């Protein structure tokens, strides 16, 4: 999404300053939207941007800024204060800008290499060139970002299920208890069959969403379909990991086991980039506004 955002909405200066170096591997970006009181409801964002003689003054605090500890630039959602109106807008802010403070680096269940710091913006001064996509276009750009990220979560969840199925099936075929392979017990083989079915269905759904994007499909339907893919795969992948832990038995609870690691690392996929409950709301609204046939075909 960030690459698409810069290509489609970024100025030549923004592209040369941030996109091209990122493509060379010289530092990426981090998306800063979540706040203490604005998680599932981004409409609750309290970060503000007030016009100044030289551009904008930004104040607020962002939570769970994934890769914010290594980013070269932060993409910050803030409300531009225009009289009584609040206009959601995306700003590009470099972490070294005066007034940008990293106030916390919480530890999480998973072991991702990059952190998710809390970042505070206090009277951060940026020029007009920091706006990306135009003042007031933040919500539309964010919707596109969520669509991309949700499809991404579905695809990495499918990759996790693939590996879990391969390693757990291999174990079930080689491990013997009671004089026979544990694969021959339905208590082992049936959960694997359920996981394989989940993986196949999730793959078809993710491919359909990707095809709709490539074909330039209705953006509202693509948004709903991406929510379906994210919802289904994130929940199915964690079920798959849970089943795998059970099949590996005590070995499945060891830190060296793939099932134990994925059980920890896949859990967050049901929370970030919109919780499972938010995905269900989006899908339900699609049924209401787009109709059953369009939503499920």
């Amino acid at each position: 999404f960030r690459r698409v955002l810069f290509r489609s909405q970024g100025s030549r200066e923004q592209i040369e300053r941030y996109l091209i170096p990122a493509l060379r591997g010289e530092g990426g970006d981090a998306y800063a939207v979540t706040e203490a009181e604005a998680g599932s409801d981004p409409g609750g964002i309290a970060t503000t941007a007030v016009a100044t003689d030289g551009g904008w003054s930004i104040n607020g605090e962002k939570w769970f800024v994934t890769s914010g500890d290594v980013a070269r630039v932060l993409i910050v959602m803030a409300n531009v204060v225009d009289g009584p109106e609040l206009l959601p807008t995306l700003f590009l802010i470099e972490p070294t800008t005066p007034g940008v403070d990293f106030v916390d680096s919480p530890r999480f269940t998973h072991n991702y290499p990059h952190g998710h710091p809390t970042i505070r913006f206090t009277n951060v001064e940026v020029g007009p060139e920091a706006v990306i996509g135009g003042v007031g276009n933040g919500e539309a750009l964010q919707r596109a970002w969520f669509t991309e990220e949700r499809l991404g979560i579905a695809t990495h969840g499918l990759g996790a299920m693939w590996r879990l199925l391969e390693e757990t099936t291999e174990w079930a075929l080689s491990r013997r208890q009671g004089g026979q392979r544990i694969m021959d017990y339905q208590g082992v083989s049936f959960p694997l069959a359920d996981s394989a079915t989940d993986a196949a269905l999730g793959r078809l759904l993710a491919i359909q969403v990707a095809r709709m994007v490539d074909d330039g499909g209705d953006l509202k339907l693509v948004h709903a379909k991406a929510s379906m893919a994210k919802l289904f795969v994130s929940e199915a992948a964690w079920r798959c990991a849970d089943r795998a832990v059970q099949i590996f038995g005590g070995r499945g609870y060891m830190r060296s086991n793939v099932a134990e690691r994925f059980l920890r690392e896949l859990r967050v996929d049901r929370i970030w980039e919109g919780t499972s409950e938010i995905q269900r709301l989006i899908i339900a609204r699609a049924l209401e506004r787009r109709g059953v046939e369009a939503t499920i075909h």
Side-chain angles (χ1 to χ4, degrees):
F1 163 75
R2 279 79 160 188
R3 310 298 181 255
V4 174
L5 175 63
F6 277 113
R7 287 201 308 269
S8 63
Q9 302 292 332
S11 66
R12 178 175 294 277
E13 180 185 359
Q14 290 170 339
I15 290 172
E16 291 179 352
R17 185 175 182 85
Y18 300 116
L19 176 58
I20 293 176
L23 294 175
R24 290 197 299 254
E26 297 173 1
D29 54 67
Y31 194 65
V33 56
T34 302
E35 299 180 2
E37 303 302 327
S40 294
D41 179 13
I45 287 173
T47 299
T48 59
V50 177
T52 65
D53 291 340
W56 306 93
S57 177
I58 297 174
N59 285 274
E61 185 174 283
K62 297 296 184 179
W63 286 32
F64 311 141
V65 184
T66 300
S67 299
D69 55 334
V70 296
R72 186 165 177 264
V73 63
L74 306 171
I75 304 175
V76 181
M77 175 67 84
N79 286 317
V80 168
V81 180
D82 184 13
E85 291 190 272
L86 297 177
L87 307 175
T89 304
L90 294 179
F91 291 86
L92 298 173
I93 304 176
E94 295 186 7
T96 55
T97 304
V100 177
D101 296 305
F102 288 70
V103 297
D104 193 15
S105 183
R107 299 182 64 187
F108 292 90
T109 300
H110 57 233
N111 288 326
Y112 290 177
H114 300 157
H116 314 271
T118 303
I119 306 175
R120 184 175 298 146
F121 304 88
T122 305
N123 299 323
V124 175
E125 298 289 334
V126 295
E129 72 281 356
V131 175
I132 185 167
V135 173
N137 289 327
E139 284 188 354
L141 295 175
Q142 182 165 273
R143 189 178 301 112
W145 176 77
F146 274 132
T147 298
E148 185 92 2
E149 287 293 296
R150 287 163 184 166
L151 182 57
I153 286 174
T155 56
H156 87 237
L158 290 168
M161 293 172 77
W162 190 344
R163 183 176 174 193
L164 284 164
L165 279 164
E166 282 189 331
E167 297 207 17
T168 311
T169 298
E170 182 181 0
W171 168 253
L173 290 171
S174 62
R175 174 68 166 170
R176 303 186 70 85
Q177 290 288 281
Q180 58 186 354
R181 306 173 309 173
I182 62 172
M183 186 71 163
D184 296 323
Y185 295 106
Q186 292 180 353
V188 170
S189 60
F190 281 15
L192 284 171
D194 288 339
S195 292
T197 302
D198 283 343
L201 291 174
R203 181 174 181 274
L204 290 173
L205 182 54
I207 288 173
Q208 182 193 26
V209 180
R211 184 176 293 118
M212 290 176 69
V213 173
D214 288 344
D215 292 343
D218 182 333
L219 293 179
K220 294 293 182 63
L221 279 177
V222 171
H223 186 227
K225 291 282 191 177
S227 288
M228 286 184 182
K230 196 264 191 187
L231 170 65
F232 181 82
V233 176
S234 66
E235 298 200 344
W238 199 81
R239 290 196 302 268
C240 180
D242 186 56
R243 293 165 181 152
V245 168
Q246 196 69 18
I247 292 168
F248 276 109
R251 290 172 174 82
Y253 217 58
M254 296 169 63
R255 279 288 177 119
S256 58
N257 187 282
V258 62
E260 185 278 338
R261 180 167 66 86
F262 280 175
L263 191 74
R264 285 183 287 109
E265 295 188 352
L266 291 170
R267 183 60 181 86
V268 71
D269 289 343
R270 293 157 58 190
I271 298 173
W272 60 7
E273 320 310 357
T275 63
S276 289
E277 291 72 25
I278 290 298
Q279 308 315 315
R280 291 183 172 97
L281 283 174
I282 292 169
I283 297 163
R285 287 170 183 163
L287 288 170
E288 177 185 359
R289 298 170 184 175
R290 299 288 168 174
V292 173
E293 182 176 359
T295 302
I296 68 174
H297 283 81

